[in-house]
């Protein structure tokens, strides 16, 4: 899908009205915010690497809406996108991240000892636990915009750093384009393999270009710590295991992530981060912590209750199907995770998941026993 | 090397020129398309910092070929033009591709245009028991605008406006109506689908990988005459696709209507000072290098259940300079022994030449089919290479 064709210079010969996209059928954050005046202001700007406003918004034009979630409809092509196009992105960020203001500061806390509890979610209900985040390497363009040379450089850096991990983080890298059939099958069985994105949301922003060049998967021998290279972000770091011991999952997550970051720093590369936006990632929805901590949990009764949506909202949690963001739930098993990314720290978000899931499981048990859970209704967090 | 005078940099991602050629050159080891056969590392090095006046770069030209290594039924081209100048600025890459794709057509060769339907011999009597339908299509690009892989919304809308203006002047057998995709009612959509006229958002990764579907369905639409025998697609893979079609085997009539309608449209565009992209070397300039020259595909849906399973079917098609496709179009397989048979050539022969090949070739193949039905051999009928 498109790249490099939104930089057509002749477009400046047309008036802003003639170039302004038709967003009348659209329902995403970008469409809510991008007025003709704003488009007129931004259309002749570009970041130092050449990313333009049409690049930022193309995915939102080509994907008017989504049945399950309110999509963002725009992406960053590099770190500077968030500055050059702040007129558009600040209101999108504010709308998406619960009123986060341009002057707000974000806090980072990757100390797993600060998490209270989380080691005893009932495994009869909580089938698996997972924490993921993304990281971008400063000085390189992001997946919608990076060249093959940049993408390969990111891959090389990732391979070098990950090869230094040892102990329970000792592992191996599998480049997508060199994978044997056996390796591929194993990775599919482990639920690790990511395939070429099929979501039009991702394809329309140019993230699928040159697939599978520069893409790969690294995981530790224990298959509990996993890094995706050059999928939607430079790096996606994932800690996961069966059952409900979120504390352990988060501990491994923090330890591994911190090690990777220091390995990158040793080689003179930092992650994109600033005190306003936290970790800078491709999608504005993942700014801040970039963290999604979640469980697959059996909630067949609670999920049918009329107050389910309200409960999730008060707990600041989000539901997805067990296939991930674009899927529906199967058999009453839901993916429940933190709704927030920005304005809360990593520890705070995982705490919300731990406490919230505990509450949901208690509610489920109540309904199983034919009792109400009204006294368990939480306040708005 | 980093030109920031214009609003947009000379290479879309300016940073890529900080990387060596080896680091930027695409991995084409698993690829089998015309671009991959031709693009060496040295060629990539030479062309990578160039751009057309509108800003189309080498990576823009080749992205679809990088993202689509091959196709099960056809040898794909693997590159597109973003504007008329692409064929000049990137001639180092495109000339050998054109030569390979268009049977050795040389950079010095001249192409002939002949849209005089009276020069077609016969073609009004293909057996309708076998030939179910006949169709001729071509594309046209409007000079001064960039092409679908690259055009902005403003340009695309201008092309739509000019096209609708021109089409609205047509009268007589060509009188018709325009249906923009983004305003179509459900009833209109149903009817267009039932008529087999409606084109949908491209799903082929070949087209998507080149950026042609951006902003869909903005400024896309379908125009057709009241009789439903002459049809124009606006802003699909080319600025305009012009189609003449009808049931049965009267290719002569289909071609007459095609030529007459196309000429009328071109006259109207010229009156408004917009010509079509054309030059004496490449003929009509279109988005895909495979459609240069006439841009013409004249074809029939024809029942050839026996001939198509004959050992010499491919050989016969090759000698007749014809190509087979499934009845769903380029990316499909045939169903029930019914094939889409059309001219294989586009460049280096005229419109009349190409339709003549279809008319003569299909006539022969139907006779072969009839022989095979009777259990007779067709060896004596195998034609010489055209």
């Amino acid at each position: 899908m498109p790249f490099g064709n939104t930089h057509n210079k002749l477009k400046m010969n047309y008036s802003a009205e003639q170039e302004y996209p038709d967003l009348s059928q659209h329902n995403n954050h970008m469409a809510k915010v991008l007025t003709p005046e704003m488009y007129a202001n931004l259309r002749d700007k570009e970041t130092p690497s050449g990313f333009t406003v049409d690049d930022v918004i193309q995915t939102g034009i080509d994907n008017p809406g989504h049945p399950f979630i309110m999509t963002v409809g725009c992406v960053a092509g590099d770190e500077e996108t968030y500055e050059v196009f702040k007129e558009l992105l600040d209101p999108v960020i504010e709308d998406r991240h619960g009123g986060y203001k341009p002057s707000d500061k974000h806090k980072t806390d990757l100390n797993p000892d600060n998490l209270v509890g989380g080691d005893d979610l009932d495994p009869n209900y909580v089938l698996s636990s997972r924490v993921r985040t993304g990281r971008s390497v400063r000085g390189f363009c992001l997946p919608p915009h990076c060249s093959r040379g940049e993408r390969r450089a990111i891959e090389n850096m990732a391979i070098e750093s990950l090869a230094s991990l040892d102990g329970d983080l000792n592992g191996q890298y599998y480049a997508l384009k060199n994978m044997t059939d056996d390796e591929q099958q194993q990775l599919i069985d482990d639920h690790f393999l990511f395939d070429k994105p099929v979501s039009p949301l991702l394809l329309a922003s140019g993230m699928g270009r040159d697939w599978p060049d520069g893409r790969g998967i690294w995981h530790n021998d224990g298959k509990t710590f996993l890094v995706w290279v050059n999928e939607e972000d430079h790096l996606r770091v994932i800690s996961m295991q069966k059952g409900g011991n979120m504390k352990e999952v988060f501990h491994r997550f923090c330890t591994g992530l911190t090690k990777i970051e220091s390995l990158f720093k040793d080689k003179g590369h930092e992650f994109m981060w600033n005190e306003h936006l936290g970790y800078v990632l491709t999608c504005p929805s993942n700014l801040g912590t970039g963290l999604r901590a979640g469980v697959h949990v059996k909630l067949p009764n609670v999920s049918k209750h009329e107050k389910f949506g309200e409960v999730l909202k008060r707990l600041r949690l989000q539901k997805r199907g067990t296939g991930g963001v674009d899927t529906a739930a199967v058999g009453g098993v839901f993916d429940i995770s933190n709704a927030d990314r920005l304005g809360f720290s990593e520890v705070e978000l995982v705490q919300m998941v731990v406490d919230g899931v505990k509450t949901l499981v208690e509610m489920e048990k109540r309904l199983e026993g034919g009792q109400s859970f009204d006294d368990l209704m939480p306040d708005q967090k | 090397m980093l030109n920031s005078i214009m609003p947009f940099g000379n290479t879309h991602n300016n940073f890529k020129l900080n990387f060596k050629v080896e680091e930027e050159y695409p991995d084409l080891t698993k690829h089998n398309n015309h671009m991959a056969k031709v693009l060496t590392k040295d060629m990539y090095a030479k062309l990578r910092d160039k751009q057309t006046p509108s800003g189309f770069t080498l990576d823009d030209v080749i992205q679809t070929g990088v993202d689509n290594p091959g196709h099960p039924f056809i040898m794909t081209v693997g590159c597109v033009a973003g504007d008329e100048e692409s064929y000049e600025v990137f001639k180092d890459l495109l000339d050998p591709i054109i030569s390979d794709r268009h049977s050795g057509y040389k950079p010095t060769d001249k192409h002939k245009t002949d849209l005089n339907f009276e020069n077609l011999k016969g073609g009004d009597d293909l057996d309708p028991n076998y030939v179910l339908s006949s169709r001729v299509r071509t594309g046209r690009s409007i000079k001064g605008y960039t092409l679908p892989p690259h055009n902005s919304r403003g340009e695309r809308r201008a092309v739509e406006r000019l096209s609708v203006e021109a089409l609205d002047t047509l009268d007589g057998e060509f009188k018709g109506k325009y249906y923009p995709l983004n305003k179509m009612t459900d009833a209109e959509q149903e009817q267009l689908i039932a008529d087999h006229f409606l084109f949908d958002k491209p799903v082929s990764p070949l087209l998507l990988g080149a950026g042609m579907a951006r902003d869909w369905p903005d400024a896309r639409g379908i125009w057709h005459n009241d009789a439903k025998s002459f049809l124009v697609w606006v802003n699909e893979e080319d600025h305009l696709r012009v189609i003449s079609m009808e049931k049965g085997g009267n290719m002569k009539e289909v071609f007459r209507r095609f030529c007459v309608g196309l000429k009328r449209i071109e006259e109207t565009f010229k009156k408004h000072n917009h010509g079509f992209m054309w030059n004496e070397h490449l003929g009509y300039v279109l988005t895909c290098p495979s459609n240069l020259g006439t841009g013409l595909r004249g074809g029939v849906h024809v029942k050839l259940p026996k001939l198509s399973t004959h050992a010499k079917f491919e050989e016969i098609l090759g000698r007749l300079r014809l190509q087979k496709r499934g009845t769903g179009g380029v990316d499909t397989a045939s169903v029930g022994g019914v094939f889409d048979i059309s001219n294989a050539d586009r460049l280096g022969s005229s419109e009349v030449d190409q339709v003549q090949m279809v008319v003569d070739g299909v006539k022969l193949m139907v006779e072969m089919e009839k022989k095979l039905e009777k259990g007779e051999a067709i060896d004596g009928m195998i034609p010489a290479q055209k």
Side-chain angles (χ1 to χ4, degrees):
Chain A
M1 299 237 355
F3 168 75
N5 37 43
T6 48
H7 62 293
N8 175 350
K9 295 175 189 165
L10 300 185
K11 73 171 87 164
M12 295 309 295
N13 296 329
Y14 291 79
S15 69
E17 290 73 35
Q18 288 168 326
E19 288 293 343
Y20 180 71
D22 178 354
L23 301 173
S24 52
Q25 312 291 326
H26 289 59
N27 182 36
N28 56 51
H29 285 291
M30 180 278 291
K32 285 173 72 180
V33 159
L34 183 72
T35 61
E37 292 73 33
M38 189 186 284
Y39 183 75
N41 272 349
L42 296 177
R43 74 182 190 122
D44 62 349
K45 300 192 178 2
E46 60 175 287
T47 66
S49 76
F51 207 61
T52 66
V53 76
D54 280 331
D55 291 324
V56 174
I57 66 177
Q58 191 68 52
T59 180
I61 298 172
D62 291 343
N63 297 285
H66 188 284
F68 300 146
I69 55 180
M70 174 73 158
T71 47
V72 175
C74 53
V75 291
D78 51 24
E79 191 165 10
E80 295 80 356
T81 301
Y82 288 101
E83 191 53 45
V84 173
F85 300 109
K86 62 197 291 55
E87 200 184 321
L88 166 67
L89 294 174
D90 277 353
V92 168
I93 287 167
E94 187 162 347
D95 205 12
R96 176 59 172 219
H97 294 284
Y100 195 78
K101 295 190 297 299
S103 49
D104 284 338
K105 300 276 177 272
H106 171 81
K107 45 188 163 157
T108 294
D109 181 0
L110 282 160
N111 184 347
D113 295 334
N114 290 342
L115 182 70
V116 175
D119 51 356
D120 61 348
L121 298 173
D122 188 338
N124 292 312
Y125 294 84
V126 179
L127 307 178
S128 60
S129 307
R130 181 183 185 264
V131 181
R132 68 88 158 149
T133 191
R135 291 290 186 263
S136 309
V137 181
R138 182 161 274 163
F140 294 84
C141 295
L142 298 171
H145 191 48
C146 63
S147 71
R148 283 178 293 274
E150 288 187 289
R151 201 185 294 113
R152 290 162 179 173
I154 300 277
E155 186 190 30
N156 289 336
M157 279 184 264
I159 290 172
E160 244 190 87
S161 304
L162 296 167
S164 309
L165 295 177
D166 59 8
D168 67 328
L169 294 178
N170 189 64
Q172 189 180 336
Y173 181 70
Y174 303 85
L176 248 59
K177 68 177 185 179
N178 294 335
M179 210 170 269
T180 67
D181 286 346
D182 284 348
E183 286 168 341
Q184 183 168 299
Q185 195 53 55
Q186 187 59 58
L187 287 165
I188 291 173
D189 294 342
D190 293 328
H191 304 286
F192 282 174
L193 187 64
F194 66 93
D195 208 350
K196 180 171 181 179
V198 291
S199 165
L201 301 174
L202 298 181
L203 292 177
S205 67
M207 291 182 215
R209 289 169 302 122
D210 313 313
W211 202 275
D213 197 311
R215 276 85 167 189
I217 294 167
W218 179 97
H219 71 79
N220 66 347
D221 301 333
K223 295 185 183 177
T224 53
F225 192 74
L226 172 61
V227 178
W228 290 353
V229 178
N230 286 319
E231 195 239 9
E232 180 184 331
D233 285 292
H234 287 164
L235 302 174
R236 282 287 178 98
V237 178
I238 303 155
S239 171
M240 59 201 269
Q241 67 194 53
K242 294 243 180 275
N245 194 345
M246 182 60 93
K247 193 170 187 63
E248 188 170 88
V249 169
F250 188 54
H251 188 279
R252 183 186 314 113
F253 174 81
C254 295
T255 309
L257 200 47
T258 308
K259 285 215 174 106
I260 293 172
E261 181 157 21
S262 74
L263 288 164
F264 266 81
K265 282 205 174 126
D266 288 346
K267 299 266 170 20
H269 296 290
E270 346 171 75
F271 292 148
M272 292 182 197
W273 181 94
N274 64 62
E275 59 172 8
H276 168 52
L277 295 179
Y279 288 102
V280 174
L281 295 176
T282 300
C283 182
S285 70
N286 282 322
L287 291 165
T289 59
L291 185 141
R292 193 172 90 85
V295 298
H296 283 188
V297 55
K298 286 194 233 182
L299 299 172
N301 292 296
V302 170
S303 59
K304 295 207 199 68
H305 196 284
E306 56 173 10
K307 294 219 168 99
F308 185 43
E310 174 71 21
V311 171
L312 288 175
K313 189 164 160 292
R314 291 189 186 194
L315 293 173
R316 306 192 75 89
L317 299 178
Q318 186 190 66
K319 74 178 196 290
R320 297 181 182 192
T322 49
V325 66
D326 286 330
T327 67
V330 175
V333 180
F334 283 80
D335 177 319
I336 302 291
S337 64
N338 52 295
D340 301 303
R341 302 274 184 275
L342 178 63
F344 299 89
S345 73
E346 288 82 354
V347 166
E348 284 169 343
L349 295 177
V350 179
Q351 193 69 65
M352 280 187 237
V353 174
V354 159
D355 297 346
V357 169
K358 212 160 184 173
T359 300
L360 287 167
V361 169
E362 281 181 47
M363 288 176 164
E364 180 68 23
K365 288 172 176 173
R366 286 284 184 92
L367 292 179
E368 272 174 24
Q371 297 163 343
S372 101
F373 60 61
D374 290 345
D375 59 302
L376 296 176
M377 274 300 278
D379 296 325
Q380 177 65 54
K381 285 198 172 301
Chain B
M1 118 182 130
L2 301 180
N3 178 5
S4 329
I5 296 170
M6 296 290 292
F8 308 98
N10 69 338
T11 57
H12 187 51
N13 174 348
N14 296 333
F15 290 0
K16 74 173 80 165
L17 291 184
N18 296 328
F19 289 79
K20 299 201 294 279
V21 171
E22 292 69 37
E23 289 162 338
E24 288 294 342
Y25 180 69
D27 179 352
L28 301 173
T29 49
K30 304 216 165 50
H31 289 59
N32 182 36
N33 56 49
H34 283 291
M35 180 278 291
K37 284 172 73 178
V38 159
L39 183 70
T40 59
K41 203 175 288 188
D42 291 338
M43 189 186 284
Y44 185 79
K46 194 166 171 220
L47 296 175
R48 74 180 187 127
D49 62 351
K50 300 198 180 349
Q51 60 172 321
T52 67
S54 76
F56 207 61
T57 65
L58 175 67
D59 280 332
D60 292 326
V61 173
I62 66 174
Q63 191 66 54
T64 180
V66 173
D67 290 342
N68 296 285
H71 189 283
F73 301 146
I74 55 181
M75 174 72 157
T76 47
V77 176
C79 54
V80 291
D83 50 24
E84 193 166 9
E85 295 81 355
S86 295
Y87 288 102
E88 192 53 46
V89 173
F90 301 108
K91 60 196 294 62
D92 278 2
L93 168 69
L94 294 173
D95 277 353
I97 289 175
I98 287 167
S99 182
D100 204 11
R101 177 58 174 221
H102 295 283
S103 311
Y105 195 76
K106 295 190 295 300
T108 48
D109 284 338
K110 300 276 176 273
H111 171 81
K112 48 188 167 153
T113 294
D114 181 0
L115 282 159
N116 188 344
F117 64 90
E118 278 158 359
N119 291 340
L120 183 71
K121 298 201 234 331
D124 52 354
D125 61 347
L126 298 174
D127 188 339
N129 291 311
Y130 293 82
V131 179
L132 307 178
S133 60
S134 306
R135 179 185 188 264
V136 180
R137 68 85 159 152
T138 190
R140 290 292 186 264
S141 309
I142 302 175
K143 215 171 167 66
Y145 295 89
T146 61
L147 299 173
H150 192 45
N151 56 14
S152 69
R153 284 177 294 274
E155 286 190 290
R156 201 184 296 113
R157 291 163 179 171
V159 166
E160 184 190 36
R161 209 168 29 248
L162 289 166
S163 302
V164 174
E165 250 186 69
L167 294 166
D168 279 347
T169 66
L170 296 178
D171 60 4
E173 60 173 322
F174 296 106
K175 183 168 182 317
K177 189 178 166 190
Y178 182 67
Y179 301 86
L181 252 56
N182 62 4
K183 294 198 178 42
M184 209 169 271
T185 67
D186 286 347
E188 286 169 341
Q189 185 167 298
E190 293 281 328
Q191 187 60 57
L192 287 165
I193 291 173
D195 293 328
H196 303 287
F197 282 174
L198 186 65
F199 65 95
D200 208 349
K201 179 171 179 179
V203 292
S204 165
L206 302 175
L207 298 181
L208 294 178
M212 293 182 213
R214 289 168 301 122
D215 314 312
W216 200 276
D218 197 311
R220 272 83 167 190
I222 293 167
W223 180 97
H224 70 77
N225 65 350
D226 298 336
K228 297 185 182 178
S229 56
F230 191 76
L231 170 63
V232 178
W233 290 351
V234 178
N235 286 319
E236 197 239 8
E237 181 183 332
D238 285 292
H239 287 164
L240 301 172
R241 282 288 178 97
V242 177
I243 302 155
S244 170
M245 59 201 269
E246 65 186 54
K247 293 239 180 278
N250 194 348
M251 183 60 93
K252 193 175 186 64
E253 169 63 11
V254 170
F255 188 54
R256 182 205 65 79
R257 188 167 52 245
F258 175 82
C259 293
V260 173
L262 204 45
K263 282 225 176 99
R264 297 244 176 108
I265 294 170
E266 181 157 23
E267 274 157 22
T268 317
F269 270 94
K270 278 197 177 135
K271 245 190 273 183
H272 296 262
N273 282 322
H274 293 285
F276 292 145
M277 290 182 197
W278 182 95
N279 64 60
E280 58 171 11
H281 168 51
L282 295 178
Y284 288 102
V285 174
L286 295 178
T287 302
C288 182
S290 70
N291 282 322
L292 291 165
T294 61
L296 186 142
R297 195 170 88 85
V300 299
H301 282 188
V302 56
K303 287 194 232 180
L304 299 172
K306 294 198 145 33
L307 183 61
S308 60
T309 50
H310 192 283
K312 293 227 165 92
F313 185 45
E314 296 294 337
E315 171 79 22
I316 291 165
L317 286 173
R319 291 190 185 198
L320 293 173
R321 308 192 74 84
L322 298 178
Q323 186 190 64
K324 75 179 195 290
R325 297 182 183 192
T327 50
V330 66
D331 285 330
T332 67
S334 98
V335 174
V338 180
F339 284 81
D340 177 316
I341 302 290
S342 63
N343 54 296
D345 301 312
R346 303 273 185 275
L347 178 63
S349 48
S350 75
E351 289 80 355
V352 168
D353 291 337
Q354 290 165 9
V355 178
Q356 193 70 64
M357 279 187 243
V358 174
V359 159
D360 298 346
V362 169
K363 205 162 187 170
L364 181 63
M365 288 198 295
V366 168
E367 281 170 31
M368 288 175 165
E369 181 69 22
K370 287 173 175 171
K371 278 266 167 108
L372 292 173
E373 275 173 21
K374 289 195 227 135
E376 295 166 11
I378 56 168
D379 297 341
M381 298 169 77
I382 310 273
Q385 177 66 56
K386 286 200 171 300

